[in-house]
Amino acid sequence: AQKITQTQPGMFVQEKEAVTLDCTYDTSDQSYGLFWYKQPSSGEMIFLIYQGSYDEQNATEGRYSLNFQKARKSANLVISASQLGDSAMYFCAMREWETSGSRLTFGEGTQLTVNP
Amino acid sequence: DTGVSQNPRHKITKRGQNVTFRCDPISEHNRLYWYRQTLGQGPEFLTYFQNEAQLEKSRLLSDRFSAERPKGSFSTLEIQRTEQGDSAMYLCASSPPRQGPTYEQYFGPGTRLTVT
């Protein structure tokens, strides 16, 4: 079974609008972390936001927020007020503290295109 | 602080040749990771070092692959007898000793390998 599932291969949004990128995960660990990374065409992975499994509040970082629904095992990324520079590949990733230590497991990504 | 650097950025080689990539982590980051990313996929974990010790290796790391971090600073990833299936982006990441809740990994720009 896939540990990280991103069901949207591509998403389009108008500049200045909000967009939600979906991520569901599968783990039996009680302690885990969820990450979102952005990968522009240049190739470098840029860390955006983190949510710990024990965090009671949804994480926020500027225009990025993470809609964490633990019972549903989902960790959707919300980007508010989209900008043209947000066009990139977005990856959801998980670290399972108990079973896989330090490694990150990534989903297949969502290509976001912001239209002017 | 110039971030994680990787060299070369691009490598084209013929099948059967050996290649070596180098990663320089952010200074004072004692953890170093290698990932492989094929086209249209998320990165896949290869191996992890804490200081000079290689603590985790993925099943993806076949006998043809070897990684070293002899002095706990830079790391090298060598692929022997390259195959066309080795064509991918090889990403290096580093992270500091545990500080704060996020434990995010900082990625380099990657080395794109093409095996002809």
Side-chain angles (χ1 to χ4, degrees), chain A residues 85-106:
Chain A
D86 293 335
S87 293
M89 197 74 169
Y90 287 79
F91 291 97
C92 179
M94 176 171 63
R95 172 182 286 146
E96 298 168 278
W97 293 109
E98 298 161 27
T99 56
S100 28
S102 296
R103 68 177 67 185
L104 289 175
T105 302
F106 287 84

Side-chain angles (χ1 to χ4, degrees), chain A residues 3 25-33 53-54 73 94-105, chain B residues 45 48 55-59 98:
Chain A
K3 285 189 172 288
Y25 60 92
D26 182 27
T27 181
S28 56
D29 284 15
Q30 296 301 307
S31 180
Y32 53 90
S53 58
Y54 293 116
K73 293 190 173 179
M94 176 171 63
R95 172 182 286 146
E96 298 168 278
W97 293 109
E98 298 161 27
T99 56
S100 28
S102 296
R103 68 177 67 185
L104 289 175
T105 302
Chain B
F45 172 79
Y48 157 61
L55 297 185
E56 288 185 56
K57 287 172 61 174
S58 163
R59 290 173 298 169
R98 286 192 173 183

Side-chain angles (χ1 to χ4, degrees), chain B residues 20-23 32 34 49 66-70 74-78:
Chain B
T20 300
F21 311 140
R22 176 177 170 131
C23 170
L32 187 147
W34 285 98
F49 290 86
S66 62
E68 294 182 344
R69 194 182 183 198
F74 72 91
S75 175
T76 58
L77 177 68
E78 181 183 15

